[in-house]
């Protein structure tokens, strides 16, 4: 981790200096400076998510179950990444009853699903959270063309693009967002899958997590 982060810190600091002085550069040099800043940021995120995935797979970070208001957590996670208007529905019981959950991991799952819809699914259509028989279900619908049935398991593999790469926006992100979702869901003893979002078109990502009253 240290060997990766140290040179990245130097690259980021150097890129920020160039970006701050971009106005003093000749026009033909400004675009390369902007591209450099974007790529350094993307590379930094890639390294950070690779390290997070490695820690999750190695079970280095123990689960931290604590009383959580899941309704508030969902709203907070969604609002931070929200672009545009869409439906948000939260089971009233989750707004009134604290449950035991790993706040950091649930927040990561929600954030990544919303970012995935924004970046690759032409935007979020709806976020819904329900609670039944000790299982919380998180549903994120997007406005894209959906995920072909043959790719619905592979889409959670790291760096997977598949045939959808040609028609979904793969110009941003690290390619690890859904892989991290799947790994955190596994550690929380839950399930995640993707299906068609009714009435279509679009993809519906569904996460089910076992939760108990706090």
């Amino acid at each position: 981790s240290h060997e990766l982060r140290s040179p990245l810190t130097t690259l980021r600091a150097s890129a920020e200096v160039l970006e701050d002085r971009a106005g003093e550069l000749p026009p033909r040099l400004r675009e390369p400076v902007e591209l450099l800043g974007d790529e350094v940021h993307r590379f930094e995120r890639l390294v950070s998510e690779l390290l997070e995935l490695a820690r999750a797979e190695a079970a280095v970070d123990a689960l931290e179950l604590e009383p959580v208001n899941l309704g508030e957590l969902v709203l907070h996670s969604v609002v931070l990444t929200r672009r545009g208007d869409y439906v948000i529905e939260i089971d009233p019981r989750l707004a009134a009853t604290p449950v035991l959950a790993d706040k950091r991991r649930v927040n990561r799952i929600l954030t990544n699903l919303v970012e995935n819809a924004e970046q690759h699914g032409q935007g979020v259509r709806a976020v819904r959270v329900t609670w039944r028989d000790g299982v919380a279900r998180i549903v994120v619908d997007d406005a894209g063309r959906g995920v072909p049935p043959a790719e619905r398991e592979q889409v959670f593999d790291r760096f997977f693009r598949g045939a959808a790469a040609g028609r979904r926006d793969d110009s941003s992100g690290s390619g690890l967002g859904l892989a991290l979702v799947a790994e955190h869901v596994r550690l929380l003893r839950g399930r995640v899958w993707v299906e068609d979002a009714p009435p279509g078109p679009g993809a519906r990502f569904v996460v089910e997590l076992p939760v108990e009253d706090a």
Side-chain angles (χ1 to χ4, degrees), residues 49-67:
E49 293 191 344
L50 275 172
L51 292 172
E52 180 182 348
L53 190 58
R55 288 195 302 269
E57 290 178 339
V60 173
D61 298 328
L63 291 178
E64 297 181 3
L65 299 179
E66 59 181 307

Side-chain angles (χ1 to χ4, degrees), residues 66-192:
E66 59 181 307
V68 172
N69 185 311
L70 199 54
E72 290 184 1
L73 177 59
V74 170
L75 285 174
H76 179 71
S77 301
V78 169
V79 166
L80 286 179
T81 52
R82 188 169 189 171
R83 301 174 189 171
D85 294 326
Y86 49 83
V87 175
I88 301 176
E89 295 180 358
I90 299 173
D91 190 319
R93 294 172 298 170
L94 290 173
T97 306
V99 297
L100 289 176
D102 187 313
K103 185 176 181 178
R104 179 179 65 85
R105 294 185 193 278
V106 173
N107 179 71
R108 185 61 150 157
I109 290 167
L110 282 160
T111 299
N112 282 18
L113 288 177
V114 171
E115 286 185 348
N116 178 74
E118 295 287 1
Q119 294 175 356
H120 307 300
Q122 300 180 29
V124 178
R125 287 170 49 197
V127 176
R128 296 181 174 89
V129 185
T130 59
W131 185 28
R132 182 178 180 181
D133 297 330
V135 175
R137 172 177 281 202
I138 300 168
V139 174
V140 178
D141 292 345
D142 68 36
R145 299 184 182 181
V147 178
E151 298 179 3
R152 291 181 182 177
E153 291 188 12
Q154 294 172 290
V155 75
F156 295 100
D157 294 342
R158 65 190 69 184
F159 304 119
F160 178 76
R161 299 296 184 185
R167 55 178 171 79
R168 289 166 75 94
D169 180 11
D170 62 350
S171 62
S172 58
S174 66
L176 292 172
L178 292 179
L180 279 166
V181 167
E183 191 60 31
H184 286 307
V185 168
R186 181 187 68 81
L187 290 170
L188 292 169
R189 297 178 293 110
R191 300 192 302 148
V192 60

Side-chain angles (χ1 to χ4, degrees), residues 30-65:
R30 292 174 189 168
E31 183 177 357
V33 167
E34 292 177 359
L35 290 173
L36 174 64
D38 290 343
E39 288 302 305
V40 168
H41 176 74
R42 183 174 180 275
F43 186 42
E44 189 173 32
R45 176 170 179 173
L46 173 61
V47 169
S48 176
E49 293 191 344
L50 275 172
L51 292 172
E52 180 182 348
L53 190 58
R55 288 195 302 269
E57 290 178 339
V60 173
D61 298 328
L63 291 178
E64 297 181 3
L65 299 179

